[in-house]
Amino acid sequence: MATQLSPIDKAKFVAAKQATQYVEDGMKVGLGTGSTAAWLVKCLGEMVEKEGLKIKGIPTSSRTAALARDVGIEVISLDEAKWLDLTIDGADEFDGNLNLIKGGGGSLLQEKIVATVSDQMIVIADAAKSVETLGNFPLPIEVVPFGWQTTKTLLEETLIGMDVLGRKVTLRMNGDAPFYTDEGNHILDMHLNRIGNARKMSLVINQIPGVVENGLFIDICDIVVIGYGDGRVETRDINEGSVEENRHDFVETENLFADLSD
Ligand code: 5RP
């Protein structure tokens, strides 16, 4: 069945495809969450089926776990894995130092734990996620439901002393009801427009009672693979200080492109 991919989906697909080159037999691989990570899981599933790739996947959300099982990837828990070779995940924003905002899909807590215990973290993204300064994307904060309005007030007060261009904090909703994460928590989205000092912001926010974790990933990502709608891929490696360009062609009749849902 022929499928017409949008340029943005092509960009996400080629980034995911390129990142599969880092995956080797026997690896324990952290599987990210979101539409770009879903492409990766599909690509890996195809490698398991067609090339006999042997990996164990550690998903970062119930959504990703379901998709991974669906495409034939062996899924194990983080406690079974203990330490991972590699995590590949999407991001909402990345800057020149490969610091990230994540959590647009509400899975930042599991994503941060899994990425932190991985030898290497690779982000796959379309070029629109590249920013000079983090903060245009609302920063997600995972908070416990108990007293979440008090936690919101404490967050707003903390922002008064910070280098930001906005201070609005909103409770993430799922239709008419508050959104719940896989861990049973809420998400507060902070509309900051610009985060002048992301490292300080991350440290300060995590001191507030009621906050479980924030969506800033500082010094966690090693490599970002940026996809473009025309099939080009750029790979930036922060440790090597290298930038590499590649290209992928599409065969849009592959099963891989059918019925992908995030
Ligand atoms: C989920 C995330 C995602 O990686 C992020 O939201 C990017 O998603 P997408 O690939 O759909 O743009 O952090 O919590």
Side-chain angles (χ1 to χ4, degrees), residues 93-97 129-134:
E93 282 186 354
F94 63 89
D95 69 11
N97 294 317
K129 308 287 181 61
S130 172
V131 297
E132 206 153 297
T133 306
L134 297 173

Side-chain angles (χ1 to χ4, degrees), residues 110-127:
Q110 291 190 19
E111 289 171 340
K112 202 183 248 189
I113 296 171
V114 168
T116 301
V117 296
S118 300
D119 283 344
Q120 197 171 41
M121 183 202 192
I122 299 175
V123 158
I124 47 178
D126 56 277

Side-chain angles (χ1 to χ4, degrees), residues 22-225:
Y22 292 88
V23 180
E24 295 170 14
D25 261 343
M27 279 188 165
K28 290 180 281 185
V29 183
L31 305 171
T33 296
S35 56
T36 321
W39 281 116
L40 172 87
V41 174
K42 276 212 144 193
C43 288
L44 290 177
E46 201 184 52
M47 289 164 72
V48 167
E49 188 192 325
K50 299 209 170 125
E51 298 164 29
L53 176 72
K54 288 184 176 47
I55 56 165
K56 293 183 197 305
I58 296 85
T60 54
S61 63
S62 48
R63 262 186 300 164
T64 298
L67 178 61
R69 288 195 181 97
D70 226 41
V71 300
I73 298 173
E74 182 184 348
V75 169
I76 61 168
S77 70
L78 179 58
D79 285 332
E80 287 171 286
K82 293 190 173 61
W83 195 264
L84 281 65
D85 297 283
L86 174 67
T87 282
I88 306 176
D89 199 349
D92 299 300
E93 282 186 354
F94 63 89
D95 69 11
N97 294 317
L98 306 197
N99 291 324
L100 319 170
I101 288 184
K102 285 187 52 56
S107 305
L108 67 105
L109 179 57
Q110 291 190 19
E111 289 171 340
K112 202 183 248 189
I113 296 171
V114 168
T116 301
V117 296
S118 300
D119 283 344
Q120 197 171 41
M121 183 202 192
I122 299 175
V123 158
I124 47 178
D126 56 277
K129 308 287 181 61
S130 172
V131 297
E132 206 153 297
T133 306
L134 297 173
N136 197 37
F137 191 90
L139 176 61
I141 314 292
E142 182 153 347
V143 300
V144 295
F146 175 81
W148 70 265
Q149 295 185 53
T150 307
T151 307
K152 177 173 176 284
T153 304
L154 290 172
L155 279 166
E156 283 162 347
E157 282 173 1
T158 301
L159 288 176
I160 291 169
M162 306 293 284
D163 180 5
V164 293
L165 286 179
R167 296 199 176 89
K168 195 167 154 207
V169 182
T170 54
L171 177 69
R172 190 175 300 183
M173 302 296 285
N174 182 9
D176 290 338
F179 173 85
Y180 280 90
T181 68
D182 275 351
E183 308 304 319
N185 295 316
H186 290 326
I187 299 274
L188 293 174
D189 288 305
M190 304 212 301
H191 304 258
L192 309 175
N193 299 325
R194 184 192 117 90
I195 303 173
N197 188 337
R199 190 180 301 275
K200 181 176 168 195
M201 173 74 74
S202 177
L203 290 171
V204 169
I205 286 172
N206 280 15
Q207 297 302 313
I208 297 174
V211 169
V212 180
E213 192 48 85
N214 72 81
L216 286 165
F217 283 48
I218 310 291
D219 296 338
I220 294 177
C221 175
D222 299 286
I223 293 173
V224 64
V225 181

